[in-house]
């Protein structure tokens, strides 16, 4: 099944996708949009273009596992996205993904503006790969 993931941000939102084999997550794009309504439409459009059959939205939990305002916003976004795109959405804990993404970018010596522009896309890829790995191992997301 084609699965798309979303790393929701206030100014930049990263998207990643996997093909029907569900083996490997790949970066797709970064959407630069501050308007929540326009962002919702752009993400739904991307899901349609990719023919996504499932959308995984990153859930920004606090390090202690509790959920704050950002997590509530992500859940609300996922619900609206599901209705607009007519595609099922699921939430995936994204704790640590941005730190991991920065680690990968350090390894590839990606710096400056380029780094800022791809970190969300890399984080979305990590979110999706974590989801795929859990699914493969029979762990419910």
């Amino acid at each position: 099944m084609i699965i798309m993931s979303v790393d929701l941000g206030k100014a930049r939102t990263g998207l990643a996708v996997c093909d029907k084999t569900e083996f490997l997550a790949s970066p797709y794009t970064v959407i630069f949009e501050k308007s929540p309504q326009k962002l919702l439409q752009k993400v739904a459009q991307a899901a349609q273009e990719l023919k996504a059959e499932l959308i995984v939205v990153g859930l920004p939990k606090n390090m202690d596992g509790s959920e704050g305002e950002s997590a509530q916003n992500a859940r609300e976004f996922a619900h609206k996205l599901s209705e607009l795109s007519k595609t099922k959405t699921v939430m995936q804990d994204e704790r640590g993904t941005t730190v991991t993404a920065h680690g990968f970018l350090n390894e590839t010596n990606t710096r400056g503006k380029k780094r800022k522009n791809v970190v969300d896309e890399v984080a979305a890829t990590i979110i999706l790969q974590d989801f795929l790995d859990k699914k493969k191992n029979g762990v419910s997301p």
Side-chain angles (χ1 to χ4, degrees):
M1 143 180 359
I2 296 173
I3 304 172
M4 183 180 88
S5 68
V6 181
D7 178 44
L8 196 57
K10 289 185 174 123
R12 293 179 312 276
T13 295
L15 302 181
V17 67
C18 75
D19 66 3
K20 287 193 176 286
T21 66
E22 298 180 18
F23 180 69
L24 186 65
S26 301
Y28 180 65
T29 193
V30 175
I31 297 173
F32 298 86
E33 183 58 67
K34 291 183 180 178
S35 162
Q37 190 56 40
K38 288 180 183 175
L39 176 62
L40 193 61
Q41 291 169 347
K42 289 179 180 182
V43 173
Q45 182 180 352
Q48 184 179 28
E49 289 169 3
L50 290 167
K51 297 179 175 54
E53 299 164 78
L54 179 68
I55 301 170
V56 178
V57 178
L59 182 63
K61 290 184 175 184
N62 297 320
M63 290 315 267
D64 66 0
S66 64
E67 294 185 15
E69 185 179 340
S70 293
Q72 291 172 340
N73 291 341
R75 286 188 184 281
E76 186 178 317
F77 180 87
H79 178 73
K80 289 177 181 177
L81 179 60
S82 182
E83 288 181 341
L84 184 62
S85 66
K86 296 179 179 36
T87 305
K88 181 181 176 185
T89 60
V90 295
M91 305 304 294
Q92 171 70 32
D93 186 350
E94 67 169 44
R95 281 179 286 185
T97 56
T98 301
V99 172
T100 304
H102 280 291
F104 288 150
L105 294 172
N106 284 343
E107 289 176 20
T108 60
N109 204 25
T110 305
R111 303 273 182 241
K113 192 172 184 177
K114 180 170 173 59
R115 179 187 189 105
K116 191 175 184 180
N117 288 342
V118 298
V119 70
D120 301 289
E121 191 176 33
V122 173
T125 305
I126 295 166
I127 290 167
L128 181 53
Q129 192 63 54
D130 285 350
F131 175 84
L132 295 173
D133 292 346
K134 286 180 179 171
K135 187 176 179 197
K136 192 180 341 179
N137 293 322
V139 178
S140 179

